[in-house]
Amino acid sequence: MRRSLLFLPGNTPNILINGNCLGADAVIFDLEDAVAPDQKDAARILVRNTMKYLNFRGCEVIVRINSLDTAYWQADLDTIVPQKPNWIMLPKTAQASDVQTVDAYLTALEEKLGMETGTVRMMPLIETALGIENAFCIASASKRVGALFLGAEDLTADLRCKRTKGSHEIEYARGRMVVAARAAGVDVYDTPFTDVNDPEGMAEDAAYAKAMGFTGKAAISPRHVETINAVFSPTAEEVNYAYEVLEAIAQAKAQGRGAISLRGKMIDAPIVTRAQQTIAMAEELGMGKGGQA
Amino acid sequence: MSKVVKSLKEAIRNAGLKDGMTVSFHHHLRNGDYVLNMVMDEIADLGIKDLTVNASSIFDVHAPILNHIENNVVTQILCNYMASGVGRAISTGIMEKPVQFRTHGGRPSDIALGRTPIDVAFIAVPAADNMGNASGKFGPSACGSLGYAVADAMFAKKVIVITDNLMPYPLPDWAISETYVDYVVTVDAIGDPKGIVSGTTKITRDPVGLVMASYAAQVIKHSGLLKDGFSFQTGAGGASLAAASFLKEIMLKEKIRGSFGLGGITGYMVEMLEAGCFEKLMDVQCFDLKAVESIRSNPNHIEINALQYASPAFKSAVVDSLDVVILGATEIDTDFNVNVHTDSNGYIMGGSGGHSDAAAGSKLCMIIAPMFRARLPIVRDRVHCVSTPGQDIDVLVTQGGIAVNPKNAELTERLKAAGLPILDIRALKEKTEAITGTPDPLRKGDRAVAQIVSRYGEPLDTIYNVVD
């Protein structure tokens, strides 16, 4: 379960060392934008050592490497992959071949290291107009791809529009990403909310992303993690309803009835699927009936 | 009649101060205090030597006291807190007689019981009248409560009030009554307002601090104590304030109305009072301007003195009615003993203040501390010195998990049931040392530089000189 993905700059030891205590379901160790060119080596080594010596049990590790148009990405992978990150995030992924390039490099590395092929998964970061248009192809380009990630800051620069709090300018991109990811059968993560001093705006933005179908959302501040986790967790009411749906289905089956209704509404297959997803997530969160942790 | 004398020197002479006596000071003017240095300089000028200084706290603004130590004007210090600048010098062993550290409750107890008699109390006050009625609430150096000065006024043989704001008799709303005061001295300024109270005390933005604060609020929520009538004390540190902020949200959401907030009071506690989280604030010391304004104007914000706050020598103290207190630690050991006197290198940089008192009196005493500071783990096999005994500590909250004192089996179960990350304090120590490594034990010198006296007046531990 990944509701919150927290970006941590790869060159800040005091933050990296506490990365597994900040409540996020996954941390993204950033070797790209957060790290100046003359700090790339140091950050790479620091992230490697953090992964080597710290226990991130219960918190997935994603490493954002540098993009394919830089001289850094191979060295990033050479240094990081031996530490078995859960995911590699490839920035500025614009087409399926970008994924395949990294996939091939990862496969060779895994073979060399004696790791099972496909151990390290890929989360392409889509942040260009071309990437948005190619989102389904990117999501389907390799079995390693388990999720897509929308990056709105670079995208709006590419679209030549202003990034606003209302986010109307990324409406299409968000929709396109969700549809492409779901069509390819992978998860999809929303861009971070960048104002750390607007908790209400943050909560609204996360709720909107959830309503659109995103699996979770990234954060650039630990202060956003709790809100994201809350928004992307089922509510007690949703959990209760899901249990009611499954009980109604079980009763109908026992009575040999086909069509059933609950609270005056017909229960059809999508409702059952959603109920099962809700209960699975609630169980993973340790929420029982009644939605209590 | 008037008790006003022309000068400080005249007041000192009139009070009959002689070699070998004890003088006392309070710390309400904190790092803005001019009075301790001013008085000690006058005393040195008069050629008086071998004095014991009983000050409720020594701040770094009081560093000139080191010269008076060197010149044998001051030969012993009793205090409840000593800031790191002076503390570092003391830690090297510059005094023959060890410093005696007491608690904010133990100091007035020992004064009242005659264990630490005071010959002359020098009481800086932001407002006084010509007969010595005195208050901290008015004037350019307003500090709010004068709670730590009251025992000195009541029990010292001679009492000199020093003010930069002489007001017409009778002064309204005094903390110190004329019945105790011998002389009144006016000076240009008793302190620097910037150092007396901070403009605002701020909630931490540090992510680790916020994680700890969130855990702390959850511990309180699930402790069984958070209900109507709840009482609470917290410090002015960023993480403690953040915990209060999370607690405020819970109290407002669940419509819980507490009975009182206690202690050194910050603007944040004032906000909780004004939001309806508490019926009253019981204030022994104001930490910021908002608290000063509130104690001056809000009748539900009540000034109390250190005897009433925390003194075990009397029939009861407010800490005895306290539900929850949040405190800090520089180190805590696997028996939950807490050190707040020295840093990890053994240098004096603090003191109990009200730590031990609130820990002993409260139903739930929670320590908030990060797993490590500057690469040094906070949980140790044995603390460098015991400031507050482990039997009075209930919970340790860190960013890496929460350790509950094994004496609280029921609380452990409650917190586990709430889904909080509970782990044994030894496991927390191992988890931390997996990151930091295990530090070498500190080498202690062979010279006692300070004695820690428990709130009940008994020896608790000894601090030795630091060996580099």
Side-chain angles (χ1 to χ4, degrees):
Chain A
M1 179 187 52
R2 264 164 265 109
R3 298 162 297 176
S4 52
L5 287 63
L6 175 62
F7 275 102
L8 300 175
N11 55 351
T12 52
N14 59 331
I15 295 188
L16 292 182
I17 208 165
N18 284 299
N20 56 353
C21 300
L22 301 174
D25 294 328
V27 287
I28 305 169
F29 294 143
D30 188 12
L31 300 178
E32 196 215 12
D33 284 352
V35 180
D38 62 350
Q39 294 287 314
K40 296 288 183 191
D41 286 358
R44 203 180 281 139
I45 292 164
L46 187 60
V47 167
R48 179 196 67 191
N49 289 352
T50 303
M51 293 170 67
K52 193 169 177 179
Y53 295 111
L54 294 192
N55 178 359
F56 281 85
R57 203 167 38 222
C59 177
E60 282 196 324
V61 172
I62 304 165
V63 179
R64 177 160 79 167
I65 60 170
N66 288 283
S67 57
L68 293 180
D69 58 355
T70 68
Y72 308 121
W73 69 274
Q74 284 131 320
D76 290 345
L77 291 175
D78 293 344
T79 308
I80 298 301
V81 169
Q83 303 311 320
K84 298 184 182 164
N86 300 96
W87 301 82
I88 289 293
M89 177 180 281
L90 177 64
K92 298 188 179 64
T93 310
Q95 55 227 341
S97 60
D98 293 345
V99 171
Q100 285 151 357
T101 301
V102 173
D103 183 12
Y105 198 87
L106 281 172
T107 301
L109 261 181
E110 284 169 342
E111 274 173 20
K112 192 173 142 196
L113 294 164
M115 291 161 63
E116 196 180 325
T117 304
T119 302
V120 180
R121 307 188 77 196
M122 283 184 67
M123 186 181 289
L125 165 51
I126 297 181
E127 48 188 341
T128 60
L130 183 59
I132 296 292
E133 288 305 307
N134 287 331
F136 176 73
C137 298
I138 290 168
S140 317
S142 160
K143 282 184 183 165
R144 285 185 195 272
V145 176
L148 297 182
F149 187 105
L150 172 65
E153 302 307 312
D154 281 286
L155 175 65
T156 45
D158 197 31
L159 294 175
R160 297 177 202 185
C161 63
K162 202 174 160 192
R163 182 82 178 96
T164 68
K165 245 183 206 181
S167 288
H168 302 298
E169 67 281 0
I170 60 164
E171 192 91 37
Y172 169 76
R174 276 175 155 171
R176 177 89 187 223
M177 286 276 288
V178 170
V179 172
R182 298 306 179 196
V186 302
D187 286 335
V188 58
Y189 294 97
D190 190 35
T191 190
F193 185 77
T194 52
D195 186 347
V196 293
N197 294 318
D198 181 6
E200 289 82 17
M202 164 68 218
E204 274 173 34
D205 195 53
Y208 188 74
K210 185 191 180 189
M212 286 198 76
F214 281 94
T215 316
K217 186 171 175 69
I220 52 159
S221 166
R223 289 156 69 193
H224 288 169
V225 167
E226 200 178 336
T227 305
I228 293 174
N229 285 348
V231 167
F232 284 92
S233 298
T235 63
E237 197 182 329
E238 285 166 347
V239 175
N240 285 342
Y241 180 69
Y243 276 110
E244 279 181 43
V245 167
L246 294 196
E247 277 161 25
I249 290 284
Q251 273 181 15
K253 258 190 190 163
Q255 292 164 4
R257 283 189 291 128
I260 45 166
S261 72
L262 180 66
R263 300 185 191 177
K265 280 186 184 167
M266 287 301 294
I267 303 287
D268 53 13
I271 291 179
V272 175
T273 306
R274 231 181 343 258
Q276 286 165 336
Q277 288 166 347
T278 301
I279 288 170
M281 195 164 181
E283 282 175 354
E284 207 172 332
L285 288 168
M287 294 166 79
K289 259 188 191 178
Q292 294 301 310
Chain B
M1 181 187 173
S2 170
K3 295 177 186 170
V4 177
V5 294
K6 301 205 286 278
S7 68
L8 193 48
K9 215 164 241 157
E10 186 180 330
I12 296 167
R13 278 202 199 100
N14 290 352
L17 187 69
K18 292 189 176 58
D19 289 358
M21 285 186 167
T22 296
V23 293
S24 83
F25 301 89
H26 67 73
H27 71 280
H28 285 284
L29 306 180
R30 303 182 351 136
N31 213 35
D33 179 36
Y34 291 163
V35 169
L36 189 148
N37 294 340
M38 188 191 296
V39 169
M40 293 314 300
D41 287 350
E42 292 286 1
I43 289 172
D45 252 15
L46 289 166
I48 301 168
K49 303 251 181 199
D50 189 23
L51 293 178
T52 294
V53 169
N54 183 342
S56 52
S57 294
I58 298 282
F59 282 81
D60 283 342
V61 71
H62 301 132
I65 201 171
L66 297 172
N67 297 329
H68 297 306
I69 291 169
E70 201 180 331
N71 297 329
N72 290 320
V73 175
V74 175
T75 52
Q76 182 157 37
I77 293 176
L78 319 183
C79 63
N80 309 339
Y81 173 95
M82 182 177 279
S84 59
V86 177
R88 202 171 176 89
I90 297 294
S91 300
T92 60
I94 59 169
M95 295 192 84
E96 220 163 274
K97 293 182 202 166
V99 168
Q100 287 182 16
F101 277 110
R102 285 180 171 72
T103 72
H104 281 339
R107 178 179 184 271
S109 282
D110 285 353
I111 292 170
L113 295 172
R115 289 175 181 148
T116 53
I118 296 167
D119 293 298
V120 185
F122 293 90
I123 302 180
V125 298
D129 61 31
N130 65 342
M131 297 306 288
N133 292 301
S135 167
K137 295 176 186 171
F138 317 106
S141 308
C143 61
S145 178
L146 279 180
Y148 293 123
V150 173
D152 303 42
M154 288 172 72
F155 298 103
K157 291 182 191 112
K158 294 286 178 186
V159 174
I160 300 171
V161 156
I162 301 162
T163 189
D164 53 8
N165 179 32
L166 194 65
M167 290 174 68
Y169 184 92
L171 183 79
D173 196 16
W174 60 80
I176 291 169
S177 157
E178 62 179 306
T179 54
Y180 301 117
V181 178
D182 295 281
Y183 308 105
V184 176
V185 178
T186 57
V187 294
D188 290 341
I190 59 168
D192 173 4
K194 282 191 223 120
I196 295 171
V197 284
S198 44
T200 52
T201 33
K202 284 189 182 149
I203 291 174
T204 186
R205 296 183 130 193
D206 165 45
V208 171
L210 289 172
V211 168
M212 294 190 295
S214 170
Y215 283 156
Q218 290 301 312
V219 168
I220 295 170
K221 179 179 175 179
H222 297 288
S223 66
L225 296 168
L226 189 60
K227 51 195 176 196
D228 284 345
F230 171 73
S231 55
F232 178 60
Q233 177 174 346
T234 189
S240 303
L241 289 181
S245 162
F246 290 129
L247 180 65
K248 179 183 167 193
E249 281 173 31
I250 295 170
M251 291 179 79
L252 293 178
K253 191 173 163 201
E254 301 192 1
K255 297 188 169 54
I256 292 166
R257 194 164 174 88
S259 53
F260 66 90
L262 174 65
I265 296 295
T266 60
Y268 205 81
M269 289 291 274
V270 171
E271 279 178 29
M272 290 182 80
L273 173 74
E274 290 169 353
C277 295
F278 300 113
E279 299 281 353
K280 303 276 189 276
L281 290 183
M282 311 281 265
D283 186 342
V284 71
Q285 180 185 16
C286 297
F287 282 129
D288 57 25
L289 289 171
K290 189 162 183 172
V292 174
E293 174 53 35
S294 170
I295 201 170
R296 190 160 42 216
S297 58
N298 187 339
N300 290 322
H301 186 155
I302 300 163
E303 181 169 0
I304 57 169
N305 63 54
L307 295 156
Q308 191 184 358
Y309 166 46
S311 173
F314 295 85
K315 292 178 183 176
S316 74
V318 185
V319 289
D320 301 329
S321 299
L322 186 61
D323 285 328
V324 175
V325 63
I326 297 177
L327 299 167
T330 59
E331 294 176 321
I332 182 166
D333 67 28
T334 49
D335 292 325
F336 286 84
N337 296 305
V338 169
N339 172 14
V340 287
H341 279 88
T342 72
D343 65 18
S344 301
N345 295 316
Y347 287 101
I348 293 166
M349 47 75 66
S352 182
H355 198 285
S356 299
D357 303 305
S362 60
K363 294 191 183 77
L364 171 64
C365 172
M366 185 177 354
I367 302 294
I368 297 188
M371 293 159 77
F372 44 86
R373 289 191 186 98
R375 296 185 297 151
L376 289 167
I378 297 305
V379 182
R380 301 296 180 93
D381 284 326
R382 193 81 196 139
V383 285
H384 187 68
C385 63
V386 177
S387 308
T388 297
Q391 67 199 25
D392 292 332
I393 306 296
D394 297 291
V395 178
L396 166 65
V397 171
T398 72
Q399 76 271 40
I402 299 165
V404 183
N405 192 323
K407 69 178 180 141
N408 297 319
E410 194 205 333
L411 181 66
T412 307
E413 290 315 308
R414 276 175 177 275
L415 301 182
K416 274 186 183 166
L420 288 168
I422 305 301
L423 71 178
D424 184 90
I425 194 163
R426 286 176 180 78
L428 185 58
K429 176 175 168 284
E430 281 167 23
K431 187 175 173 180
T432 309
E433 288 180 356
I435 300 169
T436 61
T438 307
D440 291 336
L442 276 184
R443 282 172 57 213
K444 286 184 182 178
D446 52 7
R447 184 162 180 188
V449 296
Q451 297 287 346
I452 301 172
V453 181
S454 81
R455 67 189 298 256
Y456 308 105
E458 321 237 313
L460 188 61
D461 209 342
T462 303
I463 303 172
Y464 291 90
N465 62 313
V466 174
V467 180
D468 279 329

